[in-house]
Amino acid sequence: MSHPGDPTLDRADALFDVGRYEQAAALAAQHLATDPLDATALVLLARCQHRLGRAEEAFDSIETALLAEPDALPSWLMRTHILLALKKYEEAERSARHSVELAPDYWGSHYALGTVLDRSSRKERQREAYEAARRAVSLAPGESAAHFLVGLTAHRVGNHRVAEQAYETALRLDPQSSEAHNNLSLLQLRRRWFRRGAWTKAAAGFVESAALDTNDRQARYNLEAMAWGTVAGARWVALLGFVGAALGSAPLRTGASGGDALVPYLIGVAVVVGGWGAWALWLTRRVPARLRRPLLLVARGCRPVIAMGVAVGLLGLHSVVAMALWTVDASVVGALGYPLFWGVVITYWVSRAALRRRAPASERAG
């Protein structure tokens, strides 16, 4: 936004656009020292304070701006977003509805109202949020944020087809939207059992979302959940291998010989080797090379994933060792194996609960 004859505010605007909010706020405050009721400068200062997480200060600035110009639309819209940050939802809704009254043909007014209504847990409010988002799109079909809000509100009410189309449109208009990447991936993840390659597409979307916004805890958590689910799925292979190794080596440990010992042993080997080989093949097909490093990095920093991986790995190793050292007494094998068996079962539930506690508070769909 240009401010004719005021280079200070122009510089502040430029600094805001590149994310240097402290410097932009300082310049806006410098201007306000000479003109304390300049509504434009007050709104800019409030925007900076809002981005810096100083919501109370931002609210004071925007209230001063409204005293100077009571019907200024930018002030009312900014007031709505600040009140959302302060979790004053009823007051934010009143502010958003007043914005619609001031500018019924401006997409941003309906976008603000839809954003506020979307936070409600009441279905009728969420449907109204969807209608407000659709109105925003009809007024500004080239705005990525409006399409994203349509996707978000449709996602909330269970209209996944519309949500997917809206997220895809938002990404065509703004490929750098980490939120659209994240929410589209959530939809793809829901359909992983019905669409070939949906899991891989979801993982790729979460990786892209996390790369676009390094502070995005939601995308990182989604990747952690996918990594944990992959490791947890291997527990069935480990448990099957444990049973196969125990039954396959039992005749040899009890002194059997010939075919009575060899056939069960070979079946046990086939179960262990075949099970892990099939899982490894499935994993390489499901997780392409470009996604393995991001998932591995996420897994290394997530204790529930590490715990599940260690439990599964130890049980799998026990099965291999049990088959290889078939002369070891059965009581020794059992003394080591049964705690590992139950360790996998217990670790599954404990790590699952721990992973859920890591989920960030989010205003996104899903």
Side-chain angles (χ1 to χ4, degrees), residues 66 70-81 83 91-114 116:
L66 286 168
D71 289 327
L73 180 63
S75 299
W76 282 101
L77 291 174
M78 191 66 235
R79 185 176 188 269
T80 301
H81 290 296
L83 288 167
E91 198 172 346
E93 182 181 340
R94 288 194 293 270
S95 183
R97 291 191 185 279
H98 187 65
S99 298
V100 173
E101 292 171 2
L102 289 173
D105 295 325
Y106 177 57
W107 77 274
S109 302
H110 299 276
Y111 174 83
L113 178 59
V116 174

PDB file of all heavy atoms in Angstrom, residues 66 70-81 83 91-114 116:
ATOM      1  N   LEU A  66     -10.146   2.865  15.289  1.00  0.00           N
ATOM      2  CA  LEU A  66     -11.595   2.978  15.118  1.00  0.00           C
ATOM      3  C   LEU A  66     -12.151   4.243  15.762  1.00  0.00           C
ATOM      4  O   LEU A  66     -13.178   4.768  15.316  1.00  0.00           O
ATOM      5  CB  LEU A  66     -12.286   1.740  15.684  1.00  0.00           C
ATOM      6  CG  LEU A  66     -12.136   0.475  14.818  1.00  0.00           C
ATOM      7  CD1 LEU A  66     -12.596  -0.760  15.568  1.00  0.00           C
ATOM      8  CD2 LEU A  66     -12.932   0.639  13.522  1.00  0.00           C
ATOM      9  N   PRO A  70     -14.356   5.588  12.572  1.00  0.00           N
ATOM     10  CA  PRO A  70     -15.238   4.519  13.066  1.00  0.00           C
ATOM     11  C   PRO A  70     -15.714   3.527  12.006  1.00  0.00           C
ATOM     12  O   PRO A  70     -16.031   2.378  12.348  1.00  0.00           O
ATOM     13  CB  PRO A  70     -16.424   5.289  13.661  1.00  0.00           C
ATOM     14  CG  PRO A  70     -15.876   6.647  13.963  1.00  0.00           C
ATOM     15  CD  PRO A  70     -14.866   6.917  12.903  1.00  0.00           C
ATOM     16  N   ASP A  71     -15.790   3.923  10.753  1.00  0.00           N
ATOM     17  CA  ASP A  71     -16.318   3.031   9.715  1.00  0.00           C
ATOM     18  C   ASP A  71     -15.259   2.591   8.715  1.00  0.00           C
ATOM     19  O   ASP A  71     -15.577   2.230   7.578  1.00  0.00           O
ATOM     20  CB  ASP A  71     -17.472   3.706   8.975  1.00  0.00           C
ATOM     21  CG  ASP A  71     -18.718   3.817   9.844  1.00  0.00           C
ATOM     22  OD1 ASP A  71     -18.933   2.919  10.680  1.00  0.00           O
ATOM     23  OD2 ASP A  71     -19.463   4.800   9.695  1.00  0.00           O
ATOM     24  N   ALA A  72     -14.012   2.571   9.129  1.00  0.00           N
ATOM     25  CA  ALA A  72     -12.929   2.138   8.240  1.00  0.00           C
ATOM     26  C   ALA A  72     -12.910   0.612   8.175  1.00  0.00           C
ATOM     27  O   ALA A  72     -12.667  -0.058   9.185  1.00  0.00           O
ATOM     28  CB  ALA A  72     -11.595   2.677   8.731  1.00  0.00           C
ATOM     29  N   LEU A  73     -13.151   0.064   6.989  1.00  0.00           N
ATOM     30  CA  LEU A  73     -13.217  -1.392   6.823  1.00  0.00           C
ATOM     31  C   LEU A  73     -11.921  -2.104   7.225  1.00  0.00           C
ATOM     32  O   LEU A  73     -11.984  -3.119   7.929  1.00  0.00           O
ATOM     33  CB  LEU A  73     -13.584  -1.738   5.386  1.00  0.00           C
ATOM     34  CG  LEU A  73     -13.694  -3.235   5.075  1.00  0.00           C
ATOM     35  CD1 LEU A  73     -14.807  -3.888   5.883  1.00  0.00           C
ATOM     36  CD2 LEU A  73     -13.901  -3.446   3.572  1.00  0.00           C
ATOM     37  N   PRO A  74     -10.743  -1.618   6.838  1.00  0.00           N
ATOM     38  CA  PRO A  74      -9.510  -2.322   7.254  1.00  0.00           C
ATOM     39  C   PRO A  74      -9.390  -2.472   8.768  1.00  0.00           C
ATOM     40  O   PRO A  74      -8.893  -3.494   9.257  1.00  0.00           O
ATOM     41  CB  PRO A  74      -8.394  -1.432   6.683  1.00  0.00           C
ATOM     42  CG  PRO A  74      -9.023  -0.725   5.526  1.00  0.00           C
ATOM     43  CD  PRO A  74     -10.437  -0.479   5.951  1.00  0.00           C
ATOM     44  N   SER A  75      -9.863  -1.467   9.492  1.00  0.00           N
ATOM     45  CA  SER A  75      -9.789  -1.542  10.951  1.00  0.00           C
ATOM     46  C   SER A  75     -10.711  -2.628  11.497  1.00  0.00           C
ATOM     47  O   SER A  75     -10.336  -3.396  12.394  1.00  0.00           O
ATOM     48  CB  SER A  75     -10.153  -0.195  11.568  1.00  0.00           C
ATOM     49  OG  SER A  75      -9.252   0.811  11.149  1.00  0.00           O
ATOM     50  N   TRP A  76     -11.912  -2.723  10.946  1.00  0.00           N
ATOM     51  CA  TRP A  76     -12.850  -3.739  11.421  1.00  0.00           C
ATOM     52  C   TRP A  76     -12.386  -5.145  11.078  1.00  0.00           C
ATOM     53  O   TRP A  76     -12.525  -6.080  11.888  1.00  0.00           O
ATOM     54  CB  TRP A  76     -14.242  -3.472  10.842  1.00  0.00           C
ATOM     55  CG  TRP A  76     -14.957  -2.368  11.562  1.00  0.00           C
ATOM     56  CD1 TRP A  76     -15.098  -1.074  11.156  1.00  0.00           C
ATOM     57  CD2 TRP A  76     -15.589  -2.464  12.841  1.00  0.00           C
ATOM     58  NE1 TRP A  76     -15.796  -0.341  12.093  1.00  0.00           N
ATOM     59  CE2 TRP A  76     -16.117  -1.167  13.139  1.00  0.00           C
ATOM     60  CE3 TRP A  76     -15.781  -3.480  13.767  1.00  0.00           C
ATOM     61  CZ2 TRP A  76     -16.802  -0.895  14.318  1.00  0.00           C
ATOM     62  CZ3 TRP A  76     -16.483  -3.210  14.941  1.00  0.00           C
ATOM     63  CH2 TRP A  76     -16.976  -1.929  15.212  1.00  0.00           C
ATOM     64  N   LEU A  77     -11.819  -5.304   9.891  1.00  0.00           N
ATOM     65  CA  LEU A  77     -11.307  -6.624   9.519  1.00  0.00           C
ATOM     66  C   LEU A  77     -10.140  -7.032  10.406  1.00  0.00           C
ATOM     67  O   LEU A  77     -10.061  -8.178  10.867  1.00  0.00           O
ATOM     68  CB  LEU A  77     -10.875  -6.619   8.049  1.00  0.00           C
ATOM     69  CG  LEU A  77     -12.005  -6.500   7.020  1.00  0.00           C
ATOM     70  CD1 LEU A  77     -11.430  -6.371   5.615  1.00  0.00           C
ATOM     71  CD2 LEU A  77     -12.945  -7.701   7.099  1.00  0.00           C
ATOM     72  N   MET A  78      -9.246  -6.087  10.658  1.00  0.00           N
ATOM     73  CA  MET A  78      -8.105  -6.392  11.517  1.00  0.00           C
ATOM     74  C   MET A  78      -8.572  -6.672  12.940  1.00  0.00           C
ATOM     75  O   MET A  78      -8.047  -7.564  13.615  1.00  0.00           O
ATOM     76  CB  MET A  78      -7.128  -5.205  11.496  1.00  0.00           C
ATOM     77  CG  MET A  78      -5.778  -5.515  12.134  1.00  0.00           C
ATOM     78  SD  MET A  78      -4.867  -6.746  11.185  1.00  0.00           S
ATOM     79  CE  MET A  78      -4.534  -7.975  12.429  1.00  0.00           C
ATOM     80  N   ARG A  79      -9.568  -5.939  13.378  1.00  0.00           N
ATOM     81  CA  ARG A  79     -10.127  -6.156  14.718  1.00  0.00           C
ATOM     82  C   ARG A  79     -10.666  -7.586  14.842  1.00  0.00           C
ATOM     83  O   ARG A  79     -10.480  -8.255  15.877  1.00  0.00           O
ATOM     84  CB  ARG A  79     -11.240  -5.144  14.981  1.00  0.00           C
ATOM     85  CG  ARG A  79     -11.830  -5.188  16.392  1.00  0.00           C
ATOM     86  CD  ARG A  79     -12.862  -4.064  16.559  1.00  0.00           C
ATOM     87  NE  ARG A  79     -13.297  -3.960  17.934  1.00  0.00           N
ATOM     88  CZ  ARG A  79     -14.351  -4.599  18.451  1.00  0.00           C
ATOM     89  NH1 ARG A  79     -15.075  -5.419  17.674  1.00  0.00           N
ATOM     90  NH2 ARG A  79     -14.691  -4.442  19.713  1.00  0.00           N
ATOM     91  N   THR A  80     -11.315  -8.080  13.778  1.00  0.00           N
ATOM     92  CA  THR A  80     -11.848  -9.444  13.785  1.00  0.00           C
ATOM     93  C   THR A  80     -10.737 -10.474  13.990  1.00  0.00           C
ATOM     94  O   THR A  80     -10.850 -11.379  14.816  1.00  0.00           O
ATOM     95  CB  THR A  80     -12.583  -9.733  12.464  1.00  0.00           C
ATOM     96  OG1 THR A  80     -13.656  -8.793  12.297  1.00  0.00           O
ATOM     97  CG2 THR A  80     -13.145 -11.148  12.455  1.00  0.00           C
ATOM     98  N   HIS A  81      -9.648 -10.324  13.247  1.00  0.00           N
ATOM     99  CA  HIS A  81      -8.548 -11.287  13.346  1.00  0.00           C
ATOM    100  C   HIS A  81      -7.861 -11.223  14.718  1.00  0.00           C
ATOM    101  O   HIS A  81      -7.437 -12.252  15.253  1.00  0.00           O
ATOM    102  CB  HIS A  81      -7.544 -11.036  12.228  1.00  0.00           C
ATOM    103  CG  HIS A  81      -8.068 -11.400  10.870  1.00  0.00           C
ATOM    104  ND1 HIS A  81      -8.400 -12.686  10.516  1.00  0.00           N
ATOM    105  CD2 HIS A  81      -8.346 -10.639   9.782  1.00  0.00           C
ATOM    106  CE1 HIS A  81      -8.851 -12.714   9.273  1.00  0.00           C
ATOM    107  NE2 HIS A  81      -8.824 -11.489   8.810  1.00  0.00           N
ATOM    108  N   LEU A  83      -9.325 -10.354  17.561  1.00  0.00           N
ATOM    109  CA  LEU A  83     -10.236 -10.963  18.529  1.00  0.00           C
ATOM    110  C   LEU A  83     -10.214 -12.485  18.430  1.00  0.00           C
ATOM    111  O   LEU A  83     -10.348 -13.180  19.445  1.00  0.00           O
ATOM    112  CB  LEU A  83     -11.654 -10.438  18.310  1.00  0.00           C
ATOM    113  CG  LEU A  83     -11.882  -8.979  18.749  1.00  0.00           C
ATOM    114  CD1 LEU A  83     -13.207  -8.461  18.212  1.00  0.00           C
ATOM    115  CD2 LEU A  83     -11.845  -8.874  20.274  1.00  0.00           C
ATOM    116  N   GLU A  91     -17.395 -11.646  20.202  1.00  0.00           N
ATOM    117  CA  GLU A  91     -17.072 -10.278  19.803  1.00  0.00           C
ATOM    118  C   GLU A  91     -16.467 -10.255  18.402  1.00  0.00           C
ATOM    119  O   GLU A  91     -16.738  -9.338  17.610  1.00  0.00           O
ATOM    120  CB  GLU A  91     -16.098  -9.661  20.813  1.00  0.00           C
ATOM    121  CG  GLU A  91     -16.035  -8.148  20.752  1.00  0.00           C
ATOM    122  CD  GLU A  91     -15.212  -7.539  21.873  1.00  0.00           C
ATOM    123  OE1 GLU A  91     -14.903  -8.261  22.850  1.00  0.00           O
ATOM    124  OE2 GLU A  91     -14.877  -6.351  21.754  1.00  0.00           O
ATOM    125  N   ALA A  92     -15.687 -11.276  18.073  1.00  0.00           N
ATOM    126  CA  ALA A  92     -15.114 -11.369  16.732  1.00  0.00           C
ATOM    127  C   ALA A  92     -16.212 -11.539  15.687  1.00  0.00           C
ATOM    128  O   ALA A  92     -16.151 -10.941  14.601  1.00  0.00           O
ATOM    129  CB  ALA A  92     -14.135 -12.536  16.660  1.00  0.00           C
ATOM    130  N   GLU A  93     -17.241 -12.326  16.022  1.00  0.00           N
ATOM    131  CA  GLU A  93     -18.348 -12.510  15.076  1.00  0.00           C
ATOM    132  C   GLU A  93     -19.093 -11.203  14.845  1.00  0.00           C
ATOM    133  O   GLU A  93     -19.442 -10.857  13.710  1.00  0.00           O
ATOM    134  CB  GLU A  93     -19.309 -13.579  15.592  1.00  0.00           C
ATOM    135  CG  GLU A  93     -20.459 -13.845  14.636  1.00  0.00           C
ATOM    136  CD  GLU A  93     -21.428 -14.891  15.148  1.00  0.00           C
ATOM    137  OE1 GLU A  93     -21.041 -15.677  16.038  1.00  0.00           O
ATOM    138  OE2 GLU A  93     -22.574 -14.903  14.657  1.00  0.00           O
ATOM    139  N   ARG A  94     -19.328 -10.446  15.915  1.00  0.00           N
ATOM    140  CA  ARG A  94     -20.003  -9.152  15.750  1.00  0.00           C
ATOM    141  C   ARG A  94     -19.166  -8.223  14.871  1.00  0.00           C
ATOM    142  O   ARG A  94     -19.710  -7.502  14.027  1.00  0.00           O
ATOM    143  CB  ARG A  94     -20.265  -8.515  17.118  1.00  0.00           C
ATOM    144  CG  ARG A  94     -21.370  -9.201  17.914  1.00  0.00           C
ATOM    145  CD  ARG A  94     -21.826  -8.347  19.089  1.00  0.00           C
ATOM    146  NE  ARG A  94     -20.772  -8.212  20.090  1.00  0.00           N
ATOM    147  CZ  ARG A  94     -20.613  -9.051  21.111  1.00  0.00           C
ATOM    148  NH1 ARG A  94     -21.429 -10.087  21.250  1.00  0.00           N
ATOM    149  NH2 ARG A  94     -19.650  -8.862  21.996  1.00  0.00           N
ATOM    150  N   SER A  95     -17.874  -8.250  15.078  1.00  0.00           N
ATOM    151  CA  SER A  95     -16.990  -7.406  14.279  1.00  0.00           C
ATOM    152  C   SER A  95     -17.021  -7.823  12.809  1.00  0.00           C
ATOM    153  O   SER A  95     -17.072  -6.973  11.904  1.00  0.00           O
ATOM    154  CB  SER A  95     -15.560  -7.500  14.832  1.00  0.00           C
ATOM    155  OG  SER A  95     -14.688  -6.645  14.145  1.00  0.00           O
ATOM    156  N   ALA A  96     -17.009  -9.133  12.558  1.00  0.00           N
ATOM    157  CA  ALA A  96     -17.035  -9.627  11.183  1.00  0.00           C
ATOM    158  C   ALA A  96     -18.360  -9.294  10.507  1.00  0.00           C
ATOM    159  O   ALA A  96     -18.383  -8.892   9.327  1.00  0.00           O
ATOM    160  CB  ALA A  96     -16.806 -11.135  11.177  1.00  0.00           C
ATOM    161  N   ARG A  97     -19.466  -9.421  11.228  1.00  0.00           N
ATOM    162  CA  ARG A  97     -20.774  -9.113  10.633  1.00  0.00           C
ATOM    163  C   ARG A  97     -20.882  -7.617  10.321  1.00  0.00           C
ATOM    164  O   ARG A  97     -21.483  -7.228   9.311  1.00  0.00           O
ATOM    165  CB  ARG A  97     -21.900  -9.556  11.564  1.00  0.00           C
ATOM    166  CG  ARG A  97     -22.018 -11.083  11.676  1.00  0.00           C
ATOM    167  CD  ARG A  97     -23.292 -11.515  12.369  1.00  0.00           C
ATOM    168  NE  ARG A  97     -23.333 -12.950  12.563  1.00  0.00           N
ATOM    169  CZ  ARG A  97     -23.680 -13.835  11.643  1.00  0.00           C
ATOM    170  NH1 ARG A  97     -24.009 -13.417  10.429  1.00  0.00           N
ATOM    171  NH2 ARG A  97     -23.698 -15.138  11.914  1.00  0.00           N
ATOM    172  N   HIS A  98     -20.272  -6.795  11.153  1.00  0.00           N
ATOM    173  CA  HIS A  98     -20.272  -5.364  10.865  1.00  0.00           C
ATOM    174  C   HIS A  98     -19.443  -5.079   9.607  1.00  0.00           C
ATOM    175  O   HIS A  98     -19.799  -4.197   8.809  1.00  0.00           O
ATOM    176  CB  HIS A  98     -19.726  -4.572  12.049  1.00  0.00           C
ATOM    177  CG  HIS A  98     -19.843  -3.091  11.886  1.00  0.00           C
ATOM    178  ND1 HIS A  98     -21.057  -2.430  11.824  1.00  0.00           N
ATOM    179  CD2 HIS A  98     -18.891  -2.119  11.741  1.00  0.00           C
ATOM    180  CE1 HIS A  98     -20.861  -1.139  11.662  1.00  0.00           C
ATOM    181  NE2 HIS A  98     -19.551  -0.923  11.600  1.00  0.00           N
ATOM    182  N   SER A  99     -18.374  -5.835   9.416  1.00  0.00           N
ATOM    183  CA  SER A  99     -17.560  -5.671   8.202  1.00  0.00           C
ATOM    184  C   SER A  99     -18.379  -5.993   6.959  1.00  0.00           C
ATOM    185  O   SER A  99     -18.271  -5.307   5.935  1.00  0.00           O
ATOM    186  CB  SER A  99     -16.332  -6.585   8.262  1.00  0.00           C
ATOM    187  OG  SER A  99     -15.503  -6.256   9.351  1.00  0.00           O
ATOM    188  N   VAL A 100     -19.217  -7.047   7.042  1.00  0.00           N
ATOM    189  CA  VAL A 100     -20.081  -7.401   5.916  1.00  0.00           C
ATOM    190  C   VAL A 100     -21.088  -6.282   5.649  1.00  0.00           C
ATOM    191  O   VAL A 100     -21.389  -5.954   4.491  1.00  0.00           O
ATOM    192  CB  VAL A 100     -20.794  -8.740   6.178  1.00  0.00           C
ATOM    193  CG1 VAL A 100     -21.830  -9.028   5.094  1.00  0.00           C
ATOM    194  CG2 VAL A 100     -19.777  -9.872   6.261  1.00  0.00           C
ATOM    195  N   GLU A 101     -21.617  -5.696   6.716  1.00  0.00           N
ATOM    196  CA  GLU A 101     -22.551  -4.574   6.540  1.00  0.00           C
ATOM    197  C   GLU A 101     -21.873  -3.386   5.874  1.00  0.00           C
ATOM    198  O   GLU A 101     -22.469  -2.716   5.024  1.00  0.00           O
ATOM    199  CB  GLU A 101     -23.114  -4.154   7.903  1.00  0.00           C
ATOM    200  CG  GLU A 101     -24.025  -5.191   8.545  1.00  0.00           C
ATOM    201  CD  GLU A 101     -24.391  -4.826   9.983  1.00  0.00           C
ATOM    202  OE1 GLU A 101     -23.957  -3.747  10.441  1.00  0.00           O
ATOM    203  OE2 GLU A 101     -25.084  -5.626  10.647  1.00  0.00           O
ATOM    204  N   LEU A 102     -20.618  -3.133   6.244  1.00  0.00           N
ATOM    205  CA  LEU A 102     -19.891  -2.009   5.655  1.00  0.00           C
ATOM    206  C   LEU A 102     -19.536  -2.260   4.195  1.00  0.00           C
ATOM    207  O   LEU A 102     -19.563  -1.320   3.370  1.00  0.00           O
ATOM    208  CB  LEU A 102     -18.596  -1.752   6.446  1.00  0.00           C
ATOM    209  CG  LEU A 102     -18.736  -1.158   7.841  1.00  0.00           C
ATOM    210  CD1 LEU A 102     -17.380  -1.135   8.551  1.00  0.00           C
ATOM    211  CD2 LEU A 102     -19.304   0.269   7.773  1.00  0.00           C
ATOM    212  N   ALA A 103     -19.202  -3.509   3.857  1.00  0.00           N
ATOM    213  CA  ALA A 103     -18.755  -3.809   2.489  1.00  0.00           C
ATOM    214  C   ALA A 103     -19.306  -5.166   2.057  1.00  0.00           C
ATOM    215  O   ALA A 103     -18.576  -6.160   2.011  1.00  0.00           O
ATOM    216  CB  ALA A 103     -17.234  -3.804   2.419  1.00  0.00           C
ATOM    217  N   PRO A 104     -20.600  -5.223   1.718  1.00  0.00           N
ATOM    218  CA  PRO A 104     -21.211  -6.509   1.362  1.00  0.00           C
ATOM    219  C   PRO A 104     -20.682  -7.104   0.059  1.00  0.00           C
ATOM    220  O   PRO A 104     -20.867  -8.296  -0.190  1.00  0.00           O
ATOM    221  CB  PRO A 104     -22.704  -6.181   1.250  1.00  0.00           C
ATOM    222  CG  PRO A 104     -22.748  -4.707   0.990  1.00  0.00           C
ATOM    223  CD  PRO A 104     -21.587  -4.128   1.717  1.00  0.00           C
ATOM    224  N   ASP A 105     -20.045  -6.296  -0.775  1.00  0.00           N
ATOM    225  CA  ASP A 105     -19.533  -6.785  -2.055  1.00  0.00           C
ATOM    226  C   ASP A 105     -18.018  -6.972  -2.051  1.00  0.00           C
ATOM    227  O   ASP A 105     -17.412  -7.148  -3.114  1.00  0.00           O
ATOM    228  CB  ASP A 105     -19.931  -5.828  -3.182  1.00  0.00           C
ATOM    229  CG  ASP A 105     -21.436  -5.771  -3.393  1.00  0.00           C
ATOM    230  OD1 ASP A 105     -22.089  -6.822  -3.227  1.00  0.00           O
ATOM    231  OD2 ASP A 105     -21.958  -4.691  -3.695  1.00  0.00           O
ATOM    232  N   TYR A 106     -17.412  -6.958  -0.865  1.00  0.00           N
ATOM    233  CA  TYR A 106     -15.974  -7.173  -0.756  1.00  0.00           C
ATOM    234  C   TYR A 106     -15.733  -8.573  -0.224  1.00  0.00           C
ATOM    235  O   TYR A 106     -16.263  -8.956   0.831  1.00  0.00           O
ATOM    236  CB  TYR A 106     -15.343  -6.133   0.165  1.00  0.00           C
ATOM    237  CG  TYR A 106     -13.865  -6.338   0.394  1.00  0.00           C
ATOM    238  CD1 TYR A 106     -12.975  -6.390  -0.666  1.00  0.00           C
ATOM    239  CD2 TYR A 106     -13.367  -6.502   1.682  1.00  0.00           C
ATOM    240  CE1 TYR A 106     -11.618  -6.595  -0.455  1.00  0.00           C
ATOM    241  CE2 TYR A 106     -12.005  -6.693   1.911  1.00  0.00           C
ATOM    242  CZ  TYR A 106     -11.139  -6.751   0.831  1.00  0.00           C
ATOM    243  OH  TYR A 106      -9.796  -6.953   1.045  1.00  0.00           O
ATOM    244  N   TRP A 107     -14.927  -9.345  -0.936  1.00  0.00           N
ATOM    245  CA  TRP A 107     -14.728 -10.744  -0.574  1.00  0.00           C
ATOM    246  C   TRP A 107     -14.128 -10.905   0.826  1.00  0.00           C
ATOM    247  O   TRP A 107     -14.476 -11.855   1.543  1.00  0.00           O
ATOM    248  CB  TRP A 107     -13.828 -11.434  -1.602  1.00  0.00           C
ATOM    249  CG  TRP A 107     -12.360 -11.124  -1.459  1.00  0.00           C
ATOM    250  CD1 TRP A 107     -11.698 -10.069  -1.996  1.00  0.00           C
ATOM    251  CD2 TRP A 107     -11.407 -11.863  -0.705  1.00  0.00           C
ATOM    252  NE1 TRP A 107     -10.377 -10.094  -1.643  1.00  0.00           N
ATOM    253  CE2 TRP A 107     -10.162 -11.197  -0.852  1.00  0.00           C
ATOM    254  CE3 TRP A 107     -11.456 -13.022   0.065  1.00  0.00           C
ATOM    255  CZ2 TRP A 107      -9.001 -11.656  -0.236  1.00  0.00           C
ATOM    256  CZ3 TRP A 107     -10.295 -13.482   0.674  1.00  0.00           C
ATOM    257  CH2 TRP A 107      -9.085 -12.805   0.516  1.00  0.00           C
ATOM    258  N   GLY A 108     -13.266  -9.975   1.219  1.00  0.00           N
ATOM    259  CA  GLY A 108     -12.588 -10.088   2.504  1.00  0.00           C
ATOM    260  C   GLY A 108     -13.532 -10.044   3.689  1.00  0.00           C
ATOM    261  O   GLY A 108     -13.259 -10.654   4.735  1.00  0.00           O
ATOM    262  N   SER A 109     -14.642  -9.327   3.544  1.00  0.00           N
ATOM    263  CA  SER A 109     -15.625  -9.262   4.630  1.00  0.00           C
ATOM    264  C   SER A 109     -16.253 -10.639   4.867  1.00  0.00           C
ATOM    265  O   SER A 109     -16.389 -11.095   6.006  1.00  0.00           O
ATOM    266  CB  SER A 109     -16.721  -8.245   4.289  1.00  0.00           C
ATOM    267  OG  SER A 109     -16.180  -6.967   4.057  1.00  0.00           O
ATOM    268  N   HIS A 110     -16.627 -11.294   3.784  1.00  0.00           N
ATOM    269  CA  HIS A 110     -17.237 -12.632   3.899  1.00  0.00           C
ATOM    270  C   HIS A 110     -16.204 -13.662   4.331  1.00  0.00           C
ATOM    271  O   HIS A 110     -16.524 -14.606   5.066  1.00  0.00           O
ATOM    272  CB  HIS A 110     -17.872 -13.011   2.564  1.00  0.00           C
ATOM    273  CG  HIS A 110     -18.964 -12.089   2.137  1.00  0.00           C
ATOM    274  ND1 HIS A 110     -20.260 -12.219   2.582  1.00  0.00           N
ATOM    275  CD2 HIS A 110     -18.941 -10.986   1.336  1.00  0.00           C
ATOM    276  CE1 HIS A 110     -21.009 -11.256   2.062  1.00  0.00           C
ATOM    277  NE2 HIS A 110     -20.225 -10.496   1.302  1.00  0.00           N
ATOM    278  N   TYR A 111     -14.968 -13.474   3.879  1.00  0.00           N
ATOM    279  CA  TYR A 111     -13.888 -14.367   4.307  1.00  0.00           C
ATOM    280  C   TYR A 111     -13.687 -14.275   5.821  1.00  0.00           C
ATOM    281  O   TYR A 111     -13.550 -15.293   6.500  1.00  0.00           O
ATOM    282  CB  TYR A 111     -12.600 -13.997   3.576  1.00  0.00           C
ATOM    283  CG  TYR A 111     -11.386 -14.764   4.045  1.00  0.00           C
ATOM    284  CD1 TYR A 111     -11.114 -16.039   3.552  1.00  0.00           C
ATOM    285  CD2 TYR A 111     -10.519 -14.220   4.988  1.00  0.00           C
ATOM    286  CE1 TYR A 111      -9.999 -16.749   3.990  1.00  0.00           C
ATOM    287  CE2 TYR A 111      -9.412 -14.928   5.435  1.00  0.00           C
ATOM    288  CZ  TYR A 111      -9.155 -16.184   4.929  1.00  0.00           C
ATOM    289  OH  TYR A 111      -8.059 -16.882   5.367  1.00  0.00           O
ATOM    290  N   ALA A 112     -13.689 -13.050   6.337  1.00  0.00           N
ATOM    291  CA  ALA A 112     -13.516 -12.861   7.778  1.00  0.00           C
ATOM    292  C   ALA A 112     -14.666 -13.505   8.551  1.00  0.00           C
ATOM    293  O   ALA A 112     -14.445 -14.188   9.565  1.00  0.00           O
ATOM    294  CB  ALA A 112     -13.417 -11.377   8.109  1.00  0.00           C
ATOM    295  N   LEU A 113     -15.903 -13.308   8.067  1.00  0.00           N
ATOM    296  CA  LEU A 113     -17.059 -13.906   8.740  1.00  0.00           C
ATOM    297  C   LEU A 113     -16.989 -15.431   8.687  1.00  0.00           C
ATOM    298  O   LEU A 113     -17.226 -16.112   9.699  1.00  0.00           O
ATOM    299  CB  LEU A 113     -18.354 -13.418   8.089  1.00  0.00           C
ATOM    300  CG  LEU A 113     -19.652 -13.988   8.666  1.00  0.00           C
ATOM    301  CD1 LEU A 113     -19.780 -13.649  10.147  1.00  0.00           C
ATOM    302  CD2 LEU A 113     -20.860 -13.475   7.889  1.00  0.00           C
ATOM    303  N   GLY A 114     -16.640 -15.978   7.525  1.00  0.00           N
ATOM    304  CA  GLY A 114     -16.524 -17.425   7.409  1.00  0.00           C
ATOM    305  C   GLY A 114     -15.453 -17.986   8.320  1.00  0.00           C
ATOM    306  O   GLY A 114     -15.627 -19.055   8.917  1.00  0.00           O
ATOM    307  N   VAL A 116     -14.463 -16.769  11.202  1.00  0.00           N
ATOM    308  CA  VAL A 116     -14.958 -16.746  12.585  1.00  0.00           C
ATOM    309  C   VAL A 116     -15.955 -17.875  12.817  1.00  0.00           C
ATOM    310  O   VAL A 116     -15.857 -18.627  13.789  1.00  0.00           O
ATOM    311  CB  VAL A 116     -15.616 -15.385  12.902  1.00  0.00           C
ATOM    312  CG1 VAL A 116     -16.271 -15.416  14.280  1.00  0.00           C
ATOM    313  CG2 VAL A 116     -14.591 -14.259  12.839  1.00  0.00           C
TER     314      VAL A 116
END
